Amino acid sequence: MNEPTATIPFFPLSVFLFPGEDIPLHIFEPRYKQLIDESRELGITFAIPFVIQQEIQGFGCEVRLKDVVAEKEGGNMVIVVESLAIVEISSYEKHLGGKLYPGGRIRRIPCDEPIVSDELMDLINSFREQFDQDFLASCEKSQISRKDLIIALNLSSDEKYRFICIPEDEQKETFLAGQLRYLSMIRTQEALLGDDYGLN
């Protein structure tokens, strides 16, 4: 994780994870069975380039094999992977080093910058007061990062990818503010529906 660039295997999917997030995957293709077998034996990491309409995009995540949940005859598996880093995809090879699986060159990019917008911090504090006092409770107020907020908001893979493609820091925080406002609106509607139900 110290080197900024590396050549690693690829497992392209419509999945985008921030560091610390995990997800179960069903493994059945021979090329990815080979990849997971090598991950188990050698401890190698691999990248999940994000896929939109069957096209590999410019960013993805680097993951490690966290657990093999189930194995079936023939080598099919259910596994869990954990994200280690956000990566930029620099190159693609259909068969990495003669293997069945693809791979290519990646560059690890930071994603844990602290939130600097006073407006966004005010929205976070307001959400805590109105809806959920435990929202981001594990983070020190002065050390809440964009990554922390993204995970707490439970954004979809498409939304996470949209965020990582935003070029400017100010625009990134404006995007997150919009997501938090939307969640606040949903929580407000839920509370109103709950009140209506109680009155009937």
Side-chain angles (χ1 to χ4, degrees), residues 1 4 16-19 21 58-63 83-89 106-112 147 150 160-161 163-165:
M1 292 292 292
F16 202 97
L17 303 173
F18 269 66
E21 293 186 297
F59 296 96
C61 53
E62 181 181 8
V63 302
S83 178
L84 302 174
I86 301 299
V87 298
E88 183 177 14
I89 309 300
I106 56 98
R107 181 175 68 89
R108 299 177 180 95
I109 59 176
C111 65
D112 58 353
K147 181 196 79 170
I150 285 167
K160 291 172 195 171
Y161 184 75
F163 170 84
I164 214 67
C165 290

Side-chain angles (χ1 to χ4, degrees), residues 13 15-19 21 48-52 56-62 83-89 107-113 145-148 150-151 155-176 179:
L13 290 169
V15 168
F16 202 97
L17 303 173
F18 269 66
E21 293 186 297
I48 299 181
F50 190 59
V51 173
I52 299 176
I56 291 177
Q57 304 302 302
F59 296 96
C61 53
E62 181 181 8
S83 178
L84 302 174
I86 301 299
V87 298
E88 183 177 14
I89 309 300
R107 181 175 68 89
R108 299 177 180 95
I109 59 176
C111 65
D112 58 353
E113 301 91 340
S145 70
R146 297 170 191 164
K147 181 196 79 170
D148 295 327
I150 285 167
I151 293 174
L155 298 185
S156 69
S157 288
D158 285 338
E159 289 165 338
K160 291 172 195 171
Y161 184 75
R162 282 172 54 203
F163 170 84
I164 214 67
C165 290
I166 297 172
E168 301 295 332
D169 288 342
E170 184 176 349
Q171 293 175 320
K172 285 180 184 289
E173 298 204 351
T174 298
F175 173 86
L176 292 177
Q179 295 292 327

